[in-house]
Amino acid sequence: MALRNITVKGDEILARKCKPVKEITPRIKEACADMVDTMKEADGVGIAAPQIGIMKRFFIAMPHVDAEDEETRDKIYYMINPEITYREGSQESSEGCLSVPGYMGLVDRPQKIRIKATDLDGEEHEYEFEGFEATVFCHEYDHLEGVLYSDIAKDMMTVEEYSERLEELKDLHSDDEPGDINEIWEARKNG
Ligand code: ZN
């Protein structure tokens, strides 16, 4: 297990466009293994190569946080040279980023995407994701383009403020009808 340092906002590496992976070398595989450890240690759901200082087009994601079975929850996608091939609809998502510690933002994302990528064995796959999962892949993909969610967010707040408002939202709703998470941002606009 090896943890890598996570690059944070302000480092110009995060604002640069990454270069395609020409060959899946042992170094790339090792970086991916370290990214898994680093992501899990930081409680993230994804991490992109530039976040550990590598200017290449790959990221990993573990997006099925709400899945019933453990195997699906633990599934990690290795996305080398990813391309978003289709976008449909729109959603507002509340996002955080390991490279923007202490903040949350409200971002417009497509509701549904298709994304193709090569895995660590060099095989190409095309996946379809909706909702939260689609958001995760768009967020990580943006890192490869030099874009942070905070560059495109419509609104931002600190994690403390977000947590407080999440508690308030829970108080307003029952467990059966938890309410829409984006009410957090509405409450702020109204208040
Ligand atoms: Zn991020």
Side-chain angles (χ1 to χ4, degrees), residues 46-48 51 95-100 139-140 143 147-149:
I47 188 168
Q51 292 182 278
E95 296 180 27
C97 179
L98 301 178
S99 293
V100 190
H139 176 118
E140 298 309 331
H143 275 298
V147 174
L148 294 175
Y149 85 88

Side-chain angles (χ1 to χ4, degrees), residues 71-177:
E71 198 183 322
T72 307
R73 270 202 310 278
D74 289 346
K75 181 170 170 60
I76 295 171
Y77 294 83
Y78 295 88
M79 307 292 284
I80 296 163
N81 296 329
E83 266 180 71
I84 297 175
T85 54
Y86 177 78
R87 294 174 172 84
E88 185 187 307
S90 68
Q91 60 172 324
E92 288 185 315
S93 76
S94 295
E95 296 180 27
C97 179
L98 301 178
S99 293
V100 190
Y103 288 90
M104 294 289 290
L106 183 66
V107 187
D108 282 325
R109 297 287 188 191
Q111 171 61 28
K112 189 176 180 177
I113 61 159
R114 280 204 282 277
I115 182 166
K116 67 175 185 189
T118 301
D119 66 19
L120 280 183
D121 298 319
E123 283 185 43
E124 195 173 275
H125 304 269
E126 189 166 37
Y127 310 95
E128 191 170 291
F129 296 108
E130 285 185 58
F132 176 75
E133 279 92 343
T135 290
V136 172
F137 283 83
C138 288
H139 176 118
E140 298 309 331
Y141 179 84
D142 276 357
H143 275 298
L144 308 182
E145 294 289 301
V147 174
L148 294 175
Y149 85 88
S150 53
D151 299 333
I152 55 171
K154 298 193 288 189
D155 201 355
M156 299 276 293
M157 63 174 77
T158 64
V159 167
E160 287 79 19
E161 193 180 355
Y162 187 84
S163 307
E164 274 170 32
R165 288 178 187 277
L166 192 60
E167 286 308 312
E168 284 169 21
L169 187 68
K170 278 185 193 156
D171 290 344
L172 286 172
H173 296 272
S174 67
D175 285 347
D176 297 336
E177 289 175 56

